[in-house]
Amino acid sequence: MKALLAIAVLALLGSCTTVPQKPAAVERMYVIECGENHVKDLSRWTPGENIGKPAVFSDHCYLIKHANQWMLWDTGNPDRLAAMPGGLTNPAGIITAYMNKPLIDSLKEIGLVPGEIQYFAMSHSHGDHSGNANLFAASIIFMQQAEYDAIYGPTPEKYGFPAANFEKLKGAKFVLLNGNHDVFGDGSVIIESTPGHTPGHQSLLVQLPKSGPVLLTGDLVHLKYNWDHDIVPAFNFDVERSHQSITQMKELVARTGAKVWINHDKELHASIPKAPAYVE
Ligand SMILES: [Zn+2]
């Protein structure tokens, strides 16, 4: 009898001392198709390999619902390309950019207009990520100081940044960062500083309530192949720093068990539901 009582007391104690798991504050995330980029020669992104091989890069925007607030990560190709079914080929003739469905229409389908998105950040400022940045001038914008200095500095083109993509953001509420940042203050969405591809490139660690942690890598790597083999393009702003950032993110993935979602890897994204569906 005494033994039984002891067991019962222990069981009770056990249940009392269990700290209730705080539910993840991110409710869901929409993965939005934000264009496609057809490249003539993949070896530009995988130096020494895939010479002369054409490839298709997917392009995504990611919309996060956190309690009753929204955060947008990346803006894809410009919406105006939707009027160009043949796409827009860059002056060097090596990339043709498409936008099948404008971001603004995808947001509308979810029931949102840009002004309702409180928080906005981009992995970096290249045209396939900043195409619609000007729509989010009313949001609080998280950007690394080094990236900000490059887009509004005297020579944004030196970094491959189209200055017109940030014109309407002048005077917006920027939160300038020099490293990592906990967006909602509860650990559910963390901006990870991952410079190299550009001066202030950043990645995003999102804690999804059911799927667990997911790392959105921006262009830290372009394809899963680059991640697996630690290969970066020679045109990166800082190749050495790019490799260091990859190493740091691999350590983070080992520590957290995060899934790695590489924006431009079409195959990798094939199994992920796209907006208006969402992931939890
Ligand atoms: Zn890109």
Side-chain angles (χ1 to χ4, degrees):
M1 185 66 199
K2 251 186 185 172
L4 273 177
L5 193 69
I7 290 166
V9 168
L10 278 174
L12 196 67
L13 274 175
S15 67
C16 288
T17 51
T18 304
V19 179
Q21 274 286 305
K22 201 174 160 239
V26 169
E27 255 177 52
R28 54 185 189 254
M29 176 161 72
Y30 296 85
V31 179
I32 304 171
E33 308 238 36
C34 274
E36 226 170 52
N37 296 292
H38 295 201
V39 309
K40 252 191 180 164
D41 183 352
L42 184 54
S43 68
R44 187 169 152 75
W45 290 267
T46 57
E49 296 179 54
N50 303 304
I51 295 160
K53 197 180 148 191
V56 175
F57 285 8
S58 55
D59 200 355
H60 297 96
C61 304
Y62 303 84
L63 178 71
I64 297 157
K65 185 165 195 287
H66 179 281
N68 50 9
Q69 292 181 308
W70 295 92
M71 176 183 181
L72 181 72
W73 175 255
D74 278 346
T75 68
N77 281 337
D79 277 0
R80 64 187 162 81
L81 297 191
M84 305 168 73
L88 180 69
T89 303
N90 73 337
I94 54 176
I95 307 172
T96 302
Y98 298 85
M99 191 67 168
N100 299 326
K101 184 179 185 179
L103 171 60
I104 200 143
D105 288 356
S106 296
L107 292 176
K108 200 174 165 190
E109 227 171 37
I110 297 165
L112 286 176
V113 293
E116 291 173 303
I117 294 169
Q118 290 86 354
Y119 301 107
F120 168 49
M122 293 179 285
S123 57
H124 65 297
S125 310
H126 285 155
D128 55 324
H129 300 257
S130 65
N132 299 297
N134 280 330
L135 291 174
F136 303 96
S139 308
I140 293 169
I141 306 168
F142 299 96
M143 190 178 274
Q144 300 293 325
Q145 177 85 54
E147 195 84 353
Y148 182 91
D149 291 345
I151 65 170
Y152 291 127
T155 54
E157 66 283 357
K158 189 182 118 189
Y159 306 92
F161 298 157
N165 283 10
F166 319 103
E167 204 53 43
K168 291 183 182 160
L169 301 184
K170 280 178 182 164
K173 284 164 269 165
F174 277 91
V175 176
L176 297 178
L177 309 173
N178 285 292
N180 299 352
H181 182 71
D182 183 342
V183 175
F184 295 99
D186 59 6
S188 65
V189 179
I190 310 270
I191 292 174
E192 298 280 337
S193 170
T194 49
H197 181 58
T198 63
H201 185 280
Q202 46 192 17
S203 303
L204 197 70
L205 182 64
V206 183
Q207 302 287 341
L208 289 172
K210 291 181 185 166
S211 312
V214 169
L215 181 68
L216 307 178
T217 54
D219 285 4
L220 169 76
V221 286
H222 288 80
L223 304 169
K224 185 172 181 297
Y225 187 85
N226 299 78
W227 171 264
D228 290 344
H229 300 273
D230 194 13
I231 297 172
V232 300
F235 65 80
N236 272 10
F237 169 71
D238 185 334
V239 167
E240 193 43 46
R241 194 66 187 82
S242 302
H243 289 300
Q244 284 173 24
S245 288
I246 292 173
T247 302
Q248 280 169 15
M249 288 303 100
K250 283 188 172 173
E251 284 166 6
L252 177 139
V253 166
R255 209 165 58 233
T256 60
K259 296 185 182 82
V260 181
W261 288 3
I262 299 164
N263 192 339
H264 295 315
D265 196 305
K266 198 173 160 68
E267 231 167 87
L268 194 151
H269 274 77
S271 61
I272 302 168
K274 307 297 181 317
Y278 53 81
V279 285
E280 290 178 300

